[in-house]
Amino acid sequence: MTADRTAASGPVGTLGATAVLRALPSHATRLGTGFWSARVAANAERSLAAGLERMTEAGTLENLELAAGTVAGDAAAYHGKLPFLDSDVYKWLEAVSWHLQSTDSAEWHERAESVIALVGAAQSEDGYINSFVTVKHGGERWTDLPSGHELYCAGHLIQAGIAHHRATGRTSLFDIARRFADLIVAEFGEDGRRVGYCGHPEVETALVELYRETGDAAYLRLADRFISLRGSGQMGDRPFGRRYWQDLVPVRELRALHGHAVRAFYLASGVADVYLETGEPALLDVLRAQWDDLLRGKTYITGGSGARHRDEALGDAFELPADRAYTETCAAIALMHWAWRMQLATGEAQYADIFERVLYNGFLAGVSLHGDHYFYVNPLQVRGDSTLGPQGRQAWFSCACCPPNVMRTLASLTHYLATEDADGLQIHQYAAGEIRTETRGVTVDTGYPLDGNVRITIPQDRAGNWTLALRIPAWANGTATVHVNGEPVEVGDADYVRLTRTWRGGETIDLELPVRPRLTQADPRVDDARGCVAIERGPLVYCAEHLDQDTELAALSLSGRPWDGAQLQIADTTLPTVLIDAAAHAHDTKEPWPYRELGTKPGTAPTHTRVTAIPYFAWANRAYGAMRVWLPHEDAR
Ligand SMILES: [Zn+2]
């Protein structure tokens, strides 16, 4: 392992000693005007400010002041019941840090520093920080590793500290985080006093990143130690069982993920990070097995995972209910973290495909278009009178893990678009903007995913001999076209088109991805999708929302290929509601008894109507009510 810190920064995988692809420095990519610039602007202009207000209202910030003693109060004064509220502050600080990379706003620097000062004041002499333990438990540390979240919170603090350092060059938060990390190494490292690991993985991936940032291998060794100890049963047989904590089987023997989805994917991300630095083949081997198992029957078409409400857990294979889907927004984010690391580790397009699917669907549905209301749970069907929790997106939650997780993801989205290797630059996700490394670079103009045209231009100062690799998404396999300076290039069924030449400034590459609508059906073992289709268009999964239909949503069923001659409208580019009018039948909803003998006809013949679908990510922005992704179709088996 060598720590080449001149490779500069990036969200993850910066050094990645064994990575096939290298993450770009965090400042290498900037967004231009396009689909993502609007969402990232909403995040910067509304989500971050609203997040600070919500954390103030919830007492999350005052908890740090109680811990610091700058506000007087005993355990009863602590705000909230959960032990991990500090992590909301850290995720918010991480988001603000990445935002500060694209603006030199004195106001935002000031806001960040004032919150960092609260964190610093809450830090003990020896580096420890956790307001819940300090205020509620009289400072009794590490007494509840399964549920206490002390190391989980530390992980988010470390990630925030690294983000702030990379984005701004400042060390105010980084120094706080590193002092805590050093205490954790002293407590839990090979020579430490304790042998244990956290009930909620997260610190593992943060420690590897801290190793990348500092070159100090103690952090990497501790991350390896945490994943190696896991599976020894320390979490005990609590109500949800050892699978909930990923604690039933040692990590190197774990070939299928079960239990709490966010824990499972954060752990897998940590394992992937350790692999990226150590190159231990057994780790990549189990990660591939876990990934394949997940994709085979535990992932929704939206890329969401974690079907079960009871323990926020992955279900059994094909246990993917549409209306009872839990699919926490954080699980989508965690799967993106894991997919990204697998992509760096292998260079394989399949991981970027899933990253894209989650990004545009399971993840993006978690935040309103305006940027200040959130879904924690992301079902694929709502009947309109759902009793599953609150109606519609909420401004905040008593367990507010998702909103600041969304904020940090959108603020760092540019980190996940492209990578580099010895040969050149690889573009995995298409967004309008500019990508510039030391010697290579491109500008990208595109309305993707609303349209499928991507124009890439070589800037004058990035000419030279190198390979530009463009990912062809799996859904466009065999139908994408590429032109270089107007001349067609053979694409075939490649998952990456690799263009090697001596690039001159001003040369253009046109990638066309046919984002025509398509119908997708599921394996019949996905019971809620049996006999149904989903409408997809490009990377977007669509849904039918009650307020666009002429008839009751539950009674609709499709026949034929409904968009032959269908209209396609983009109603508003700032609120990108794409409408597809389709032929459909609406069944009579007044039948007195909903069952009948096989082979008999319903009392009333279906009547012709039409269905309008919008991107799933945009649902529940106009009103909250019935919605479904899977639509019955007469040809679906
Ligand atoms: Zn969450």
Side-chain angles (χ1 to χ4, degrees):
M1 278 169 290
T2 55
D4 172 15
R5 263 162 295 145
T6 57
S9 52
V12 293
T14 301
L15 304 178
T18 65
V20 171
L21 305 176
R22 289 196 307 274
L24 301 183
S26 56
H27 58 264
T29 306
R30 282 182 176 275
L31 287 178
T33 303
F35 179 86
W36 284 109
S37 58
R39 305 310 302 266
V40 170
N43 190 52
E45 288 159 17
R46 288 185 286 276
S47 310
L48 297 180
L52 185 60
E53 285 170 20
R54 300 293 90 76
M55 289 194 299
T56 305
E57 288 164 8
T60 315
L61 295 171
E62 192 172 276
N63 285 339
L64 291 165
E65 296 181 283
L66 289 166
T70 48
V71 166
D74 58 11
Y78 197 80
H79 302 278
K81 294 189 173 67
L82 298 167
F84 48 82
L85 296 175
D86 291 353
S87 66
D88 299 343
V89 181
Y90 304 149
K91 281 186 271 189
W92 180 86
L93 278 170
E94 183 183 339
V96 172
S97 298
W98 295 130
H99 170 53
L100 280 168
Q101 195 164 248
S102 55
T103 169
D104 205 24
S105 156
E107 190 187 352
W108 273 109
H109 273 298
E110 212 170 284
R111 281 182 189 168
E113 292 296 351
S114 70
V115 174
I116 291 167
L118 296 179
V119 177
Q123 185 164 39
S124 303
E125 280 289 297
D126 63 357
Y128 182 86
I129 313 179
N130 187 292
S131 71
F132 188 84
V133 167
T134 302
V135 178
K136 295 278 277 186
H137 285 265
E140 285 277 320
R141 303 172 185 178
W142 318 119
T143 57
D144 182 10
L145 285 176
S147 301
H149 289 75
E150 286 159 282
L151 292 167
Y152 165 90
C153 288
H156 280 300
L157 172 61
I158 292 166
Q159 288 175 334
I162 293 169
H164 191 243
H165 186 217
R166 285 184 185 166
T168 69
R170 299 185 182 204
T171 58
S172 49
L173 186 58
F174 182 74
D175 290 346
I176 293 168
R178 192 166 183 190
R179 281 181 62 208
F180 194 10
D182 289 341
L183 175 76
I184 292 167
V185 169
E187 289 281 347
F188 290 94
E190 307 99 328
D191 305 323
R193 280 169 285 193
R194 298 171 198 277
V195 177
Y197 44 97
C198 187
H200 200 311
E202 154 66 26
V203 74
E204 297 81 359
T205 194
L207 285 167
V208 177
E209 203 61 36
L210 188 56
Y211 156 68
R212 292 174 182 141
E213 190 71 2
T214 62
D216 185 342
Y219 304 126
L220 175 60
R221 286 199 303 274
L222 182 57
D224 197 341
R225 182 172 167 79
F226 280 143
I227 67 165
S228 301
L229 287 168
R230 203 163 201 96
S232 58
Q234 269 201 19
M235 299 296 111
D237 291 314
R238 295 187 180 213
F240 297 138
R242 286 171 56 184
R243 280 186 162 187
Y244 173 83
W245 319 90
Q246 326 305 319
D247 197 34
L248 184 63
V249 178
V251 161
R252 288 173 178 80
E253 297 164 28
L254 186 64
R255 301 193 73 80
L257 296 174
H258 301 277
H260 190 268
V262 181
R263 282 174 168 81
F265 301 160
Y266 278 0
L267 175 64
S269 301
V271 173
D273 268 334
V274 171
Y275 167 77
L276 282 166
E277 301 304 334
T278 66
E280 183 188 337
L283 296 181
L284 186 59
D285 180 52
V286 293
L287 287 170
R288 282 186 181 279
Q290 292 164 14
W291 179 274
D292 292 347
D293 175 74
L294 182 80
L295 269 287
R296 221 165 13 234
K298 297 178 185 170
T299 309
Y300 285 92
I301 191 170
T302 55
S305 310
R308 293 181 184 169
H309 278 249
R310 191 184 72 115
D311 47 355
E312 304 185 318
L314 297 163
D316 292 334
F318 302 105
E319 182 189 340
L320 295 165
D323 51 356
R324 290 285 298 173
Y326 193 70
T327 47
E328 183 183 341
T329 303
C330 283
I333 293 167
L335 183 54
M336 287 158 66
H337 289 190
W338 183 21
W340 169 246
R341 287 157 175 81
M342 293 300 281
Q343 194 183 325
L344 296 178
T346 67
E348 292 171 17
Q350 59 165 323
Y351 301 110
D353 278 332
I354 291 299
F355 185 99
E356 178 176 62
R357 180 172 290 279
V358 181
L359 173 67
Y360 283 103
N361 303 289
F363 161 71
L364 196 54
V367 56
S368 66
L369 295 169
H370 192 67
D372 54 2
H373 283 75
Y374 303 88
F375 277 134
Y376 193 116
V377 173
N378 295 280
L380 280 74
Q381 179 173 11
V382 167
R383 293 174 195 279
D385 54 356
S386 174
T387 53
L388 297 176
Q391 305 284 298
R393 291 190 177 81
Q394 305 294 304
W396 206 245
F397 304 91
S398 56
C399 174
C401 51
C402 300
N405 222 0
V406 168
M407 292 175 209
R408 67 176 186 145
T409 304
L410 285 170
S412 61
L413 186 69
T414 51
H415 302 173
Y416 300 98
L417 305 180
T419 56
E420 203 174 19
D421 67 6
D423 297 332
L425 205 58
Q426 303 82 40
I427 304 181
H428 308 286
Q429 311 297 342
Y430 297 104
E434 198 179 32
I435 303 166
R436 294 172 82 88
T437 67
E438 257 173 47
T439 55
R440 301 152 180 156
V442 292
T443 57
V444 181
D445 294 302
T446 183
Y448 187 84
L450 302 183
D451 68 59
N453 305 319
V454 183
R455 166 157 281 207
I456 296 166
T457 309
I458 308 294
Q460 295 295 342
D461 59 356
R462 289 296 183 273
N465 188 278
W466 48 277
T467 301
L468 175 64
L470 305 176
R471 183 176 69 92
I472 307 299
W475 54 262
N477 200 271
T479 56
T481 61
V482 174
H483 290 77
V484 176
N485 300 324
E487 294 295 319
V489 170
E490 174 72 27
V491 177
D493 58 0
D495 49 18
Y496 282 93
V497 178
R498 296 177 200 279
L499 306 168
T500 305
R501 53 194 280 148
T502 302
W503 295 107
R504 286 168 299 157
E507 288 192 303
T508 58
I509 302 100
D510 288 295
L511 167 66
E512 194 173 331
L513 299 166
V515 291
R516 61 179 173 74
R518 58 192 194 276
L519 290 183
T520 305
Q521 65 178 36
D523 185 302
R525 288 171 288 183
V526 183
D527 301 83
D528 268 14
R530 189 182 300 144
C532 291
V533 295
I535 299 167
E536 295 188 271
R537 179 172 169 265
L540 301 176
V541 175
Y542 279 68
C543 68
E545 212 175 13
H546 69 112
L547 73 174
D548 294 320
Q549 320 308 330
D550 298 331
T551 49
E552 184 190 339
L553 186 56
L556 283 174
S557 67
L558 302 178
S559 61
R561 293 180 56 79
W563 38 79
D564 290 345
Q567 299 170 29
L568 192 89
Q569 307 170 36
I570 296 178
D572 180 342
T573 50
T574 57
L575 194 152
T577 307
V578 180
L579 310 173
I580 298 171
D581 290 343
H585 297 277
H587 294 279
D588 184 357
T589 57
K590 296 189 180 59
E591 293 277 354
W593 176 245
Y595 311 100
R596 65 179 193 274
E597 190 172 347
L598 182 67
T600 61
K601 285 194 169 18
T604 332
T607 52
H608 190 268
T609 182
R610 70 177 198 197
V611 59
T612 301
I614 64 163
Y616 174 71
F617 75 74
W619 87 278
N621 273 282
R622 296 167 292 175
Y624 181 78
M627 175 279 294
R628 62 189 301 173
V629 168
W630 291 112
L631 297 163
H633 191 290
E634 62 183 13
D635 295 335
R637 298 281 184 269

